[in-house]
Amino acid sequence: MGIFPASNAIHRPSLQGRMSRSVFCKVWFYLGLYATLCLLFALPSKSIAQSSIPPEDLQLQLCNRINAYRAEMGLTALTWSDSLTLIAAKHSDAMAEHRRPFSHKGFKKRAKQVYQWWQSATGVSENLYFTTWTGDLVEMAFEGWKTSQGHHENMIGAYDMTGISIVKNRKGEYFITQLFVQLP
C-alpha cells in the first residue's frame, strides 16, 4: 500500500490512446516522489525531532510555557505535581486507547480524587488537547488553550498546582490532560 494507488486501479491499457501504461506508471512514480518530498520538506524541523522527545520532558516544557505566560501576566507560577500528573495520565491513557471519548467525561471523578488527596483544595479544573500533527506540540497546545476562553481562564486562574499528561497512541494521536488545583 502506501500513498500510491494500487496497480490494478487502472483497467484501460492506455489513457485515451495518448499515453502508454509505462509512461502512465512513470508519471505516477514522479508525482508520488514529488508529494513525498513536499511533505518531508514542508514540515518544520521540530516535527521530526518532536517524536524523539520523551513525554515527561514535553509535559514539563508545557508547564514551563504556561508558567512563562503566567509570569508575563503578573501571576505566580504553578507548582508541578506528580500526583496530579498520575490522575491526568489515567484520563489521557483512556482516551488514547479509545476506552473513553476525547471529552471531559469523568471529570467529577478526577476532581473527587484530587479532593481526597488534597482535602484543603478549594478548586479543580481541567484542560484537554488532541492532535495528530507532530509539529511543536507544546506550542500548539499552549496556543490552542490560549485562544479558547474557558481553557485560557484555567491557565491564568487562581490555581497553585498543576499536573500534565501527554500520551501518544499507535495511530500517532496525542492526548493531553492538564489538571489545575487551587489551595487556600
Side-chain angles (χ1 to χ4, degrees):
M1 277 296 284
I3 63 169
F4 304 107
S7 60
N8 62 359
I10 304 295
H11 299 288
R12 293 177 280 171
S14 67
L15 291 175
Q16 301 173 352
R18 291 182 286 178
M19 191 182 299
S20 72
R21 181 173 286 179
S22 66
V23 171
F24 182 75
C25 289
K26 287 179 185 176
V27 169
W28 270 112
F29 171 78
Y30 287 110
L31 283 173
L33 182 61
Y34 176 76
T36 302
L37 291 172
C38 285
L39 284 173
L40 284 174
F41 291 107
L43 295 174
S45 59
K46 285 186 177 181
S47 67
I48 295 168
Q50 189 80 51
S51 62
S52 64
I53 300 173
E56 298 80 19
D57 291 348
L58 291 172
Q59 292 164 181
L60 290 173
Q61 286 178 21
L62 183 54
C63 182
N64 290 338
R65 179 65 180 100
I66 291 167
N67 277 336
Y69 180 64
R70 288 174 62 92
E72 291 171 18
M73 305 281 292
L75 303 169
T76 59
L78 298 167
T79 303
W80 179 263
S81 167
D82 289 333
S83 300
L84 282 176
T85 300
L86 288 174
I87 296 171
K90 289 180 184 178
H91 187 55
S92 291
D93 286 337
M95 291 186 297
E97 295 171 4
H98 299 289
R99 290 183 282 117
R100 181 173 295 141
F102 175 72
S103 73
H104 293 283
K105 185 176 182 178
F107 173 69
K108 288 182 182 180
K109 182 179 177 183
R110 289 185 292 285
K112 185 177 179 181
Q113 286 180 297
V114 169
Y115 288 123
Q116 287 172 348
W117 288 15
W118 292 276
Q119 294 177 358
S120 63
T122 57
V124 180
S125 66
E126 175 179 81
N127 281 353
L128 301 179
Y129 189 80
F130 166 82
T131 190
T132 57
W133 193 63
T134 59
D136 188 342
L137 187 63
V138 168
E139 198 59 29
M140 286 181 351
F142 171 77
E143 288 297 328
W145 288 338
K146 185 179 172 185
T147 58
S148 166
Q149 183 180 352
H151 295 101
H152 185 256
E153 288 172 4
N154 289 342
M155 282 198 315
I156 63 168
Y159 295 104
D160 303 289
M161 293 188 320
T162 192
I164 302 172
S165 169
I166 300 177
V167 175
K168 179 183 176 186
N169 66 15
R170 285 185 232 149
K171 294 180 179 180
E173 300 168 324
Y174 287 88
F175 294 85
I176 303 176
T177 303
Q178 180 176 21
L179 291 171
F180 301 86
V181 174
Q182 184 179 33
L183 299 171

